[in-house]
Amino acid sequence: MDYSFSYRLKMAGFLIAAIGYTISSFSQDTVQTVVAEKGDGILSLLRKQGVNPYEHYDDFVSMNIENLRDSIHLYAGRTYRIPVADLDTVKVVDSIQRKTKEIKKIEGKRYAIFGKDHEMVLPNSEKLKGAVYYLVSGHGGPDPGAMATYGGKSIAEDEYAYDITLRLAKELLSHGATVYIIIRDENDGIRDERILEIDHDEVAYPNKTIPLNQVARLRQRVDIVNKLYKKNRGKYQRLIVTHIDSRSVGQNIDVFFYHHEKSKNGKKLAESIHKTFQKKYKKYQPNRTYSGTFEDRTSLYLVKKTHPAMTFIEVGNIRNKKDQRRILEPDNRQALAKWISEGILLDHKLGEIGPIR
């Protein structure tokens, strides 16, 4: 027997085992933990740890579900695990230098409308490439929509619906979609505060003054969307309208989705998002029944008059204390946008361009 060969074989086996042990040990050592401080939310906690809060939000929730209140809120003083990128252990024999040269720089694009802290959009996928989305947040301009008081301060529907809409727009852009934000506020951006200051400087795309009269205001939005729809004829187009309801103080509601009664594609869009919410509640809040529904509601002006397949979303009752928690928490607004975007991705995967509506 060639003892030199046998020795080399043993040493190779030892080296492979050592490399495997090192990689395994390093992977375990890189599991980061952090103690939440008073006032921390998931977004701020991840951001402080240098982790993209939008890419790893769901990962964080899955890893720490036992330590979250209502599957979304942190407990001050408790330790949380922070998601980290997996190590690429494929082809260990390749030199690190050669692999390093193959790493491509991920280039994002800046959108000033999201604000200084959120303007960079990094590509996530091209799943929505060629698809066009029109996003309309409720009210705006001279009409703040439903009003309530929290902590002695006035809060308004249009500010929170707009923040959710911006977060949704960013999610869709990251997947390659073309996005038109129909109601716009150039100086608000995505905000990570609970109390969003009320202003009245929103405009309609591209820079139109929003009328005070309700019918004129709704007609303006319909005209803008339908003209853009005609311009993009032949493309995959969808419309998402976001509102926050105002009912009796004691009535809390889950997220509801409406569509045009004669729109097959609108129904499928609403159903896809609804199914996503059911799935998320089952995963993250297994002890809580999700009672939100999707249904036709052609009596709504924007549902009846707009041409693209669409869904009209009500995310809660701004006057109800439980729903306020869903709306005021920036983490919750991000979760809403993320879940809506996942429903939209599901709809696109199974969808079709189709005729008007």
Side-chain angles (χ1 to χ4, degrees):
M1 181 176 182
D2 186 344
Y3 289 99
S4 61
F5 175 77
S6 176
Y7 176 77
R8 290 197 303 271
L9 188 63
K10 288 180 180 180
M11 288 303 295
F14 174 77
L15 182 60
I16 291 171
I19 290 173
Y21 174 77
T22 302
I23 291 172
S24 176
S25 299
F26 185 73
S27 298
Q28 292 172 14
D29 290 344
T30 56
V31 175
Q32 301 177 25
T33 60
V34 63
V35 176
E37 299 176 355
K38 185 176 181 180
D40 276 340
I42 296 176
L43 294 180
S44 60
L45 188 73
L46 290 175
R47 197 176 287 118
K48 285 193 291 186
Q49 300 305 310
V51 176
N52 187 318
Y54 303 105
E55 291 184 5
H56 296 287
Y57 186 93
D58 282 353
D59 294 335
F60 179 90
V61 173
S62 296
M63 292 170 67
N64 297 283
I65 190 68
E66 297 85 0
N67 262 339
L68 297 173
R69 176 170 56 82
D70 295 334
S71 305
I72 203 80
H73 302 293
L74 306 176
Y75 290 98
R78 292 194 184 181
T79 300
Y80 292 90
R81 300 173 67 196
I82 303 297
V84 293
D86 292 332
L87 290 172
D88 183 6
T89 58
V90 179
K91 297 183 179 178
V92 177
V93 293
D94 285 346
S95 72
I96 295 175
Q97 287 183 341
R98 189 181 346 150
K99 280 296 179 186
T100 303
K101 291 178 181 178
E102 295 176 5
I103 295 175
K104 295 181 179 179
K105 182 180 179 181
I106 300 176
E107 295 184 359
K109 187 174 181 181
R110 297 183 186 277
Y111 295 85
I113 196 166
F114 296 135
K116 185 177 179 180
D117 294 337
H118 298 273
E119 64 181 358
M120 179 62 73
V121 178
L122 297 175
N124 196 335
S125 77
E126 292 190 344
K127 292 178 180 179
L128 298 179
K129 186 176 182 180
V132 180
Y133 292 91
Y134 310 105
L135 307 185
V136 178
S137 55
H139 306 278
D143 176 23
M147 300 283 293
T149 301
Y150 181 86
K153 291 190 175 183
S154 295
I155 55 176
E157 170 184 3
D158 68 324
E159 303 295 342
Y160 293 91
Y162 182 64
D163 190 74
I164 293 168
T165 296
L166 287 184
R167 294 171 187 271
L168 174 59
K170 188 169 182 178
E171 290 288 333
L172 299 181
L173 286 168
S174 77
H175 290 287
T178 296
V179 179
Y180 292 90
I181 301 172
I182 304 302
I183 303 304
R184 311 168 63 84
D185 189 323
E186 299 297 337
N187 54 34
D188 272 354
I190 293 173
R191 292 176 279 179
D192 291 327
E193 295 81 33
R194 292 173 60 84
I195 303 296
L196 301 184
E197 295 295 330
I198 300 172
D199 60 28
H200 304 282
D201 58 349
E202 294 86 4
V203 296
Y205 179 89
N207 193 30
K208 297 180 179 180
T209 300
I210 299 174
L212 175 61
N213 178 271
Q214 182 185 19
V215 175
R217 186 169 62 248
L218 295 175
R219 186 181 295 122
Q220 179 189 61
R221 296 171 193 206
V222 167
D223 289 344
I224 292 170
V225 170
N226 287 348
K227 285 179 181 178
L228 289 170
Y229 177 85
K230 185 177 180 181
K231 174 184 174 183
N232 291 299
R233 190 181 298 276
K235 297 180 180 179
Y236 186 100
Q237 303 185 61
R238 296 292 186 267
L239 165 64
I240 295 94
V241 180
T242 306
H243 274 257
I244 296 169
D245 204 356
S246 175
R247 307 189 183 195
S248 64
V249 174
Q251 185 176 5
N252 70 300
I253 63 172
D254 270 322
V255 183
F256 282 76
F257 309 94
Y258 302 122
H259 61 87
H260 193 287
E261 62 181 351
K262 296 181 180 179
S263 173
K264 179 183 71 173
N265 288 327
K267 179 181 179 180
K268 188 176 64 60
L269 173 61
E271 185 175 13
S272 295
I273 305 175
H274 179 258
K275 283 182 177 179
T276 300
F277 271 67
Q278 285 181 318
K279 181 180 177 181
K280 295 294 184 180
Y281 269 75
K282 186 176 182 179
K283 179 178 181 180
Y284 296 132
Q285 300 190 40
N287 297 322
R288 183 185 181 286
T289 302
Y290 174 63
S291 59
T293 63
F294 75 97
E295 58 189 68
D296 65 86
R297 194 168 174 184
T298 312
S299 60
L300 294 170
Y301 194 94
L302 262 67
V303 175
K304 184 176 182 180
K305 299 289 186 178
T306 50
H307 291 167
M310 65 92 71
T311 185
F312 186 108
I313 304 174
E314 288 184 354
V315 301
N317 177 6
I318 198 169
R319 299 177 63 196
N320 179 268
K321 294 301 181 184
K322 289 184 179 179
D323 284 5
Q324 282 180 352
R325 190 164 56 202
R326 180 194 310 158
I327 298 162
L328 268 63
E329 284 284 351
D331 287 344
N332 290 354
R333 298 198 296 272
Q334 179 60 31
L336 285 168
K338 178 75 171 175
W339 295 359
I340 293 169
S341 73
E342 290 184 20
I344 289 171
L345 283 164
L346 176 63
D347 168 71
H348 182 265
K349 182 178 180 180
L350 305 174
E352 59 184 10
I353 294 175
I356 289 179
R357 298 199 185 94

